[in-house]
Amino acid sequence: MAERVHPHDSPPPAPALDETFSDSSETALKPAPTYSEKPAPQPGTYVIHVPKDQVYRVPPPENTRRYKNLAGRGNRRPPCCLCFCWFLALTAIFLVLVAVAAGIFYLVVKPESPNYSVNAIAIRGLNLTTATSSSLILTVAPEFDVTVRADNPNDKIGIHYQKDSSVQIYYTDVKLCNGALPAFYQPSNNVTVFRTALKGTRIELSNRVKSSLVEAQTRGNVPLELKIRAPVKIKVGSVKTWTITIKVDCDLTVDKLTANAKIISNECDYGVDLW
C-alpha cells in the first residue's frame, strides 16, 4: 500500500558565531547538523511511497506499436495452412455424408451378392493319346462348352451384363481356352443359365503338362480353373451405377477331357472391383 508522508518543517537556521570570539580561540566549535541531500517538498504537498512490485512500466509509443504488430503476427496463419484446414474439413464432411448415404442404401435395399456355379462342361479337341512319347511339345486347339448358372437373389437390384467380358479356363498355369459371356439384363430374384463357347488356338503343352493331364485323366480327377471377368451396371429402381467388374473364380474337377465329361466338384468365389 502507498504510504502518505507529511513534509518536514524547514530546518532551523544555523547558530551565528559570536563576533567576540577570537580566531585564535582554542574552544572547538561543534559541527552544524547535516540534513538530507534530497530536496524538501514544497509546503502543502505530499510524498507518496509506492512499493516496487506495484510500479508498472509504461513502454514508449514506438515499442507499443511494435508489440501489437508482433502479437498480431503470432495469431495469424499462412494462407496455405488455412486452405489445408478447409480441405480436411470438407473431406471429413464428404466422407460422413457418403457413410450416411451408404448406410441408408443398405437399410433400404439390403443388397446380396449374386451366386455363380458351373452346371455342365463339354470338352473337345484335347486328345492326348495322339501324341508320341518322343515329342516334347504337343500343340492342341481345345474347345469347351461351359454352362454357367447365375442367381440374383436381390429384391430391388437388377444386373446389366455389359460387353467385353472374358471367360478363361486354366490347367495349373496353362491357359487352355478363352471366350466371353453374352450381354444381357438379369432382373431381381432371377436365375439365368447361359452357355458360352470357349476356344483355344495353337495351345502348346509341354511334356510335363501333357504327362500330368494323362495321369489325372487316368485317375478320373482332372482339376481345372474357370475365371470370369464381367463388366456390369447395377440398377436400383430407375438409377444405374457406373460400370463395375464382377470377378468369379471357380475350381472345377472333371472326370475326363471329353464331350461327356462330368463335373465332380465345383466351388466358386465371388468378388467385385468397384473402379
PDB file of all heavy atoms in Angstrom, residues 57-68:
ATOM      1  N   ARG A  57       5.489  -0.376 -15.580  1.00  0.00           N
ATOM      2  CA  ARG A  57       6.267   0.405 -16.532  1.00  0.00           C
ATOM      3  C   ARG A  57       5.463   0.602 -17.814  1.00  0.00           C
ATOM      4  O   ARG A  57       4.944  -0.352 -18.388  1.00  0.00           O
ATOM      5  CB  ARG A  57       7.577  -0.316 -16.851  1.00  0.00           C
ATOM      6  CG  ARG A  57       8.468   0.467 -17.783  1.00  0.00           C
ATOM      7  CD  ARG A  57       9.754  -0.296 -17.992  1.00  0.00           C
ATOM      8  NE  ARG A  57      10.634   0.410 -18.906  1.00  0.00           N
ATOM      9  CZ  ARG A  57      11.804  -0.056 -19.329  1.00  0.00           C
ATOM     10  NH1 ARG A  57      12.223  -1.225 -18.875  1.00  0.00           N
ATOM     11  NH2 ARG A  57      12.541   0.639 -20.156  1.00  0.00           N
ATOM     12  N   VAL A  58       5.343   1.786 -18.239  1.00  0.00           N
ATOM     13  CA  VAL A  58       4.626   2.110 -19.476  1.00  0.00           C
ATOM     14  C   VAL A  58       5.631   2.234 -20.600  1.00  0.00           C
ATOM     15  O   VAL A  58       6.530   3.084 -20.532  1.00  0.00           O
ATOM     16  CB  VAL A  58       3.820   3.415 -19.326  1.00  0.00           C
ATOM     17  CG1 VAL A  58       3.099   3.731 -20.633  1.00  0.00           C
ATOM     18  CG2 VAL A  58       2.836   3.303 -18.178  1.00  0.00           C
ATOM     19  N   PRO A  59       5.557   1.354 -21.655  1.00  0.00           N
ATOM     20  CA  PRO A  59       6.535   1.434 -22.739  1.00  0.00           C
ATOM     21  C   PRO A  59       6.313   2.681 -23.577  1.00  0.00           C
ATOM     22  O   PRO A  59       5.207   3.225 -23.625  1.00  0.00           O
ATOM     23  CB  PRO A  59       6.270   0.167 -23.548  1.00  0.00           C
ATOM     24  CG  PRO A  59       4.845  -0.143 -23.285  1.00  0.00           C
ATOM     25  CD  PRO A  59       4.576   0.283 -21.879  1.00  0.00           C
ATOM     26  N   PRO A  60       7.337   3.088 -24.241  1.00  0.00           N
ATOM     27  CA  PRO A  60       7.174   4.243 -25.130  1.00  0.00           C
ATOM     28  C   PRO A  60       6.263   3.888 -26.300  1.00  0.00           C
ATOM     29  O   PRO A  60       6.040   2.714 -26.613  1.00  0.00           O
ATOM     30  CB  PRO A  60       8.602   4.530 -25.595  1.00  0.00           C
ATOM     31  CG  PRO A  60       9.338   3.260 -25.391  1.00  0.00           C
ATOM     32  CD  PRO A  60       8.724   2.614 -24.183  1.00  0.00           C
ATOM     33  N   PRO A  61       5.705   4.881 -26.977  1.00  0.00           N
ATOM     34  CA  PRO A  61       4.724   4.603 -28.062  1.00  0.00           C
ATOM     35  C   PRO A  61       5.269   3.734 -29.169  1.00  0.00           C
ATOM     36  O   PRO A  61       4.574   2.868 -29.697  1.00  0.00           O
ATOM     37  CB  PRO A  61       4.367   6.007 -28.562  1.00  0.00           C
ATOM     38  CG  PRO A  61       4.670   6.913 -27.426  1.00  0.00           C
ATOM     39  CD  PRO A  61       5.840   6.315 -26.712  1.00  0.00           C
ATOM     40  N   GLU A  62       6.549   3.931 -29.565  1.00  0.00           N
ATOM     41  CA  GLU A  62       7.070   3.104 -30.654  1.00  0.00           C
ATOM     42  C   GLU A  62       7.173   1.641 -30.271  1.00  0.00           C
ATOM     43  O   GLU A  62       6.933   0.742 -31.073  1.00  0.00           O
ATOM     44  CB  GLU A  62       8.442   3.626 -31.104  1.00  0.00           C
ATOM     45  CG  GLU A  62       9.516   3.620 -30.006  1.00  0.00           C
ATOM     46  CD  GLU A  62       9.496   4.899 -29.167  1.00  0.00           C
ATOM     47  OE1 GLU A  62       8.527   5.680 -29.324  1.00  0.00           O
ATOM     48  OE2 GLU A  62      10.436   5.109 -28.381  1.00  0.00           O
ATOM     49  N   ASN A  63       7.496   1.347 -28.991  1.00  0.00           N
ATOM     50  CA  ASN A  63       7.536  -0.047 -28.549  1.00  0.00           C
ATOM     51  C   ASN A  63       6.133  -0.646 -28.461  1.00  0.00           C
ATOM     52  O   ASN A  63       5.935  -1.847 -28.678  1.00  0.00           O
ATOM     53  CB  ASN A  63       8.236  -0.145 -27.204  1.00  0.00           C
ATOM     54  CG  ASN A  63       9.722   0.126 -27.316  1.00  0.00           C
ATOM     55  OD1 ASN A  63      10.250   0.227 -28.417  1.00  0.00           O
ATOM     56  ND2 ASN A  63      10.403   0.263 -26.180  1.00  0.00           N
ATOM     57  N   THR A  64       5.153   0.184 -28.118  1.00  0.00           N
ATOM     58  CA  THR A  64       3.776  -0.310 -28.050  1.00  0.00           C
ATOM     59  C   THR A  64       3.289  -0.763 -29.423  1.00  0.00           C
ATOM     60  O   THR A  64       2.679  -1.824 -29.565  1.00  0.00           O
ATOM     61  CB  THR A  64       2.858   0.794 -27.506  1.00  0.00           C
ATOM     62  OG1 THR A  64       3.349   1.203 -26.221  1.00  0.00           O
ATOM     63  CG2 THR A  64       1.430   0.283 -27.367  1.00  0.00           C
ATOM     64  N   ARG A  65       3.567   0.029 -30.447  1.00  0.00           N
ATOM     65  CA  ARG A  65       3.163  -0.363 -31.803  1.00  0.00           C
ATOM     66  C   ARG A  65       3.873  -1.629 -32.252  1.00  0.00           C
ATOM     67  O   ARG A  65       3.279  -2.511 -32.875  1.00  0.00           O
ATOM     68  CB  ARG A  65       3.464   0.782 -32.774  1.00  0.00           C
ATOM     69  CG  ARG A  65       2.547   1.991 -32.588  1.00  0.00           C
ATOM     70  CD  ARG A  65       2.676   2.948 -33.758  1.00  0.00           C
ATOM     71  NE  ARG A  65       4.035   3.463 -33.874  1.00  0.00           N
ATOM     72  CZ  ARG A  65       4.444   4.590 -33.283  1.00  0.00           C
ATOM     73  NH1 ARG A  65       3.591   5.310 -32.536  1.00  0.00           N
ATOM     74  NH2 ARG A  65       5.688   5.023 -33.437  1.00  0.00           N
ATOM     75  N   ARG A  66       5.147  -1.744 -31.911  1.00  0.00           N
ATOM     76  CA  ARG A  66       5.901  -2.942 -32.297  1.00  0.00           C
ATOM     77  C   ARG A  66       5.356  -4.182 -31.591  1.00  0.00           C
ATOM     78  O   ARG A  66       5.239  -5.252 -32.189  1.00  0.00           O
ATOM     79  CB  ARG A  66       7.371  -2.747 -31.954  1.00  0.00           C
ATOM     80  CG  ARG A  66       8.254  -3.890 -32.395  1.00  0.00           C
ATOM     81  CD  ARG A  66       9.696  -3.623 -32.031  1.00  0.00           C
ATOM     82  NE  ARG A  66      10.550  -4.722 -32.456  1.00  0.00           N
ATOM     83  CZ  ARG A  66      11.840  -4.835 -32.162  1.00  0.00           C
ATOM     84  NH1 ARG A  66      12.435  -3.874 -31.448  1.00  0.00           N
ATOM     85  NH2 ARG A  66      12.523  -5.862 -32.583  1.00  0.00           N
ATOM     86  N   TYR A  67       4.984  -4.033 -30.315  1.00  0.00           N
ATOM     87  CA  TYR A  67       4.435  -5.175 -29.575  1.00  0.00           C
ATOM     88  C   TYR A  67       3.120  -5.634 -30.188  1.00  0.00           C
ATOM     89  O   TYR A  67       2.868  -6.832 -30.331  1.00  0.00           O
ATOM     90  CB  TYR A  67       4.239  -4.783 -28.113  1.00  0.00           C
ATOM     91  CG  TYR A  67       3.503  -5.822 -27.319  1.00  0.00           C
ATOM     92  CD1 TYR A  67       4.141  -6.984 -26.887  1.00  0.00           C
ATOM     93  CD2 TYR A  67       2.147  -5.664 -27.013  1.00  0.00           C
ATOM     94  CE1 TYR A  67       3.458  -7.949 -26.173  1.00  0.00           C
ATOM     95  CE2 TYR A  67       1.461  -6.621 -26.304  1.00  0.00           C
ATOM     96  CZ  TYR A  67       2.122  -7.764 -25.877  1.00  0.00           C
ATOM     97  OH  TYR A  67       1.448  -8.719 -25.185  1.00  0.00           O
ATOM     98  N   LYS A  68       2.263  -4.673 -30.563  1.00  0.00           N
ATOM     99  CA  LYS A  68       0.989  -5.046 -31.172  1.00  0.00           C
ATOM    100  C   LYS A  68       1.191  -5.774 -32.491  1.00  0.00           C
ATOM    101  O   LYS A  68       0.494  -6.742 -32.800  1.00  0.00           O
ATOM    102  CB  LYS A  68       0.143  -3.798 -31.383  1.00  0.00           C
ATOM    103  CG  LYS A  68      -0.383  -3.193 -30.087  1.00  0.00           C
ATOM    104  CD  LYS A  68      -1.260  -1.987 -30.370  1.00  0.00           C
ATOM    105  CE  LYS A  68      -1.808  -1.391 -29.073  1.00  0.00           C
ATOM    106  NZ  LYS A  68      -2.657  -0.202 -29.335  1.00  0.00           N
TER     107      LYS A  68
END
